[in-house]
Amino acid sequence: MFMFKPIVKFLTFLPLAAVLFSCGGSNEAENKQSDSTLNSDSGAVIQIPEELIGIPAPSEMLDFVRMTSKKGSKSTAFLNPVENLKNYKDAGSIALNFGIYSCDLSYCSIFDISSSTKSYFETVKTLGEEVGVSSVITPDIIKRAEANMKNPDSLMAIADQVYFSSTELLESSGKGPMLALMIAGGYVESMHVAANVLKFHPDNPAVGRFADQKFVIEDLILFLQKYESNPSVAEVKKQLQSLRDEFSQITEKSVEAPKEKEGDKKVFGGGTILEMNEAQFKAIAEKVKTVRNNFAQIKS
C-alpha cells in the first residue's frame, strides 16, 4: 500500500509556469501578478482563463517526472506518431490532437530528445493552423525553436509559450469547445506519457503526483461541462468520466498532523492522504491508455 503526504488542492501548473515565463530578476513588485496571468519570455502578458488555473499544463507533470527520476527517458515509442497527423480531419479530432502533440513536443523538449523535437514542433505548427492559432507560432518562435534544438530548457519554455498563448487565443476568440478539447488532449497525453516513464515505487514523489490527478480530473470534467452541447466535447467528457471512475478507487483518508507548539498553545493540523497500490496504478495507466488511444484514433 502506498501512503502519500498530506495533500491540499492547489494551483498545480502555475508555480512552474511562472518560473518558465519569468522575464528574469527578483524584484518583488514585478513578481506580484494575478494568478490568472503569466509573463512570457518575450514580455507579453498571457491571460490564463480562471477555470483552468487548477488544471496542469502538460509540461507540469512531465517536468516533475524528470526532476524526480534517477534516469531520463529517451523513448518515443509511446508518443502519438507524427505520421498520424493525416488522420485528423474534423474539428474535434484536430483540437484533441493539437493538445496531444503539444504534450509530445513538451516531452521531447524536457527529456532532451532532439532527434524528434523538430518533427513534433512542425506537427504542432500544422495543427495550430487548423485550430486557428497560427498567429501564436510566429516566425520569431520558429527561429528561436530552430536555434535551440539542443537546449532543452529553452525548448520547454518555447513549447509552454505556444501552449499557453494558444489557450489564451482560443478563449479570447470564443472558441470554448476547441479550447476544452485541446486541454483534454494534452492532459490525457501527459498522464499517458507519465505512466510509461514512471516506475511504481512507494518513495517516488512523481507517483504521488500521479495519484493527485484524482482531484485534478474533477476540475477538468467541470470545465468540459461548460461546452458539452458540442458533441465532441460531450463524448470526451464521457470518456474522462470513465477515467475518473478508475481514480475513484484510490482511497482518501483524513489525518491529523502532529501537534505543534505556537507559543504556549498547541496547534493541530491535518489533511488528506491518498492510498494507492500498484494494482490501482496499473489499472489507471491502462485506462489512460485506452482513453488516449481513442482520442488519437489508435487501435490498441
Side-chain angles (χ1 to χ4, degrees), residues 61-191:
M61 169 66 80
L62 301 183
D63 197 46
F64 193 82
V65 170
R66 179 189 62 82
M67 289 188 296
T68 56
S69 297
K70 292 181 179 179
K71 279 188 172 182
S73 174
K74 294 292 183 181
S75 176
T76 59
F78 41 78
L79 302 184
N80 188 11
V82 295
E83 293 78 15
N84 287 345
L85 176 62
K86 64 183 183 297
N87 299 332
Y88 312 127
K89 304 295 185 183
D90 62 282
S93 64
I94 288 171
L96 272 174
N97 286 280
F98 178 67
I100 287 174
Y101 280 126
S102 294
C103 176
D104 291 343
L105 171 61
S106 291
Y107 167 75
C108 291
S109 303
I110 290 168
F111 285 85
D112 192 17
I113 309 174
S114 56
S115 59
S116 298
T117 301
K118 185 175 181 180
S119 61
Y120 277 100
F121 185 84
E122 291 173 348
T123 302
V124 168
K125 180 178 180 294
T126 299
L127 280 182
E129 294 171 353
E130 296 290 334
V131 171
V133 294
S134 58
S135 61
V136 166
I137 308 175
T138 62
D140 179 61
I141 287 286
I142 295 172
K143 184 177 179 180
R144 285 170 52 213
E146 291 174 345
N148 286 280
M149 283 297 164
K150 294 185 179 181
N151 187 333
D153 288 338
S154 293
L155 280 175
M156 182 172 68
I158 292 168
D160 269 5
Q161 184 174 342
V162 169
Y163 178 86
F164 285 115
S165 296
S166 298
T167 298
E168 179 190 36
L169 182 56
L170 288 172
E171 170 75 7
S172 63
S173 59
K175 296 182 178 179
M178 298 289 277
L179 173 59
L181 294 170
M182 169 193 147
I183 296 294
Y187 174 77
V188 169
E189 182 74 348
S190 72
M191 295 295 291

Side-chain angles (χ1 to χ4, degrees), residues 28-46:
E28 186 176 352
E30 292 177 355
N31 291 334
K32 287 183 179 179
Q33 58 181 349
S34 167
D35 284 345
S36 62
T37 63
L38 296 171
N39 291 329
S40 74
D41 58 359
S42 64
V45 176
I46 298 174

Side-chain angles (χ1 to χ4, degrees), residues 118-299:
K118 185 175 181 180
S119 61
Y120 277 100
F121 185 84
E122 291 173 348
T123 302
V124 168
K125 180 178 180 294
T126 299
L127 280 182
E129 294 171 353
E130 296 290 334
V131 171
V133 294
S134 58
S135 61
V136 166
I137 308 175
T138 62
D140 179 61
I141 287 286
I142 295 172
K143 184 177 179 180
R144 285 170 52 213
E146 291 174 345
N148 286 280
M149 283 297 164
K150 294 185 179 181
N151 187 333
D153 288 338
S154 293
L155 280 175
M156 182 172 68
I158 292 168
D160 269 5
Q161 184 174 342
V162 169
Y163 178 86
F164 285 115
S165 296
S166 298
T167 298
E168 179 190 36
L169 182 56
L170 288 172
E171 170 75 7
S172 63
S173 59
K175 296 182 178 179
M178 298 289 277
L179 173 59
L181 294 170
M182 169 193 147
I183 296 294
Y187 174 77
V188 169
E189 182 74 348
S190 72
M191 295 295 291
H192 173 67
V193 173
N196 278 274
V197 176
L198 283 174
K199 300 297 182 184
F200 185 91
H201 191 280
D203 296 327
N204 187 347
V207 176
R209 181 65 64 89
F210 189 92
D212 288 351
Q213 304 312 300
K214 175 175 181 174
F215 300 128
V216 176
I217 198 169
E218 294 285 356
D219 291 335
L220 180 55
I221 290 171
L222 283 174
F223 181 66
L224 264 66
Q225 191 171 313
K226 292 177 55 180
Y227 306 106
E228 62 182 337
S229 59
N230 179 288
S232 295
V233 175
E235 176 57 31
V236 167
K237 179 191 168 191
K238 182 179 177 181
Q239 294 196 49
L240 289 177
Q241 286 172 326
S242 69
L243 177 56
R244 179 185 61 187
D245 291 343
E246 287 294 339
F247 273 105
S248 69
Q249 302 304 310
I250 301 175
T251 303
E252 291 183 45
K253 289 187 177 179
S254 297
V255 294
E256 184 177 289
K259 300 174 183 177
E260 296 181 4
K261 286 189 175 182
E262 189 176 277
D264 295 329
K265 299 179 181 179
K266 288 184 178 179
V267 179
F268 294 85
T272 300
I273 61 170
L274 298 180
E275 294 182 349
M276 181 176 72
N277 57 40
E278 187 170 5
Q280 290 169 336
F281 173 76
K282 289 180 177 179
I284 293 170
E286 190 60 33
K287 188 63 177 179
V288 167
K289 179 181 178 181
T290 297
V291 171
R292 176 269 196 171
N293 284 353
N294 288 339
F295 289 177
Q297 301 176 24
I298 296 173
K299 293 182 179 180

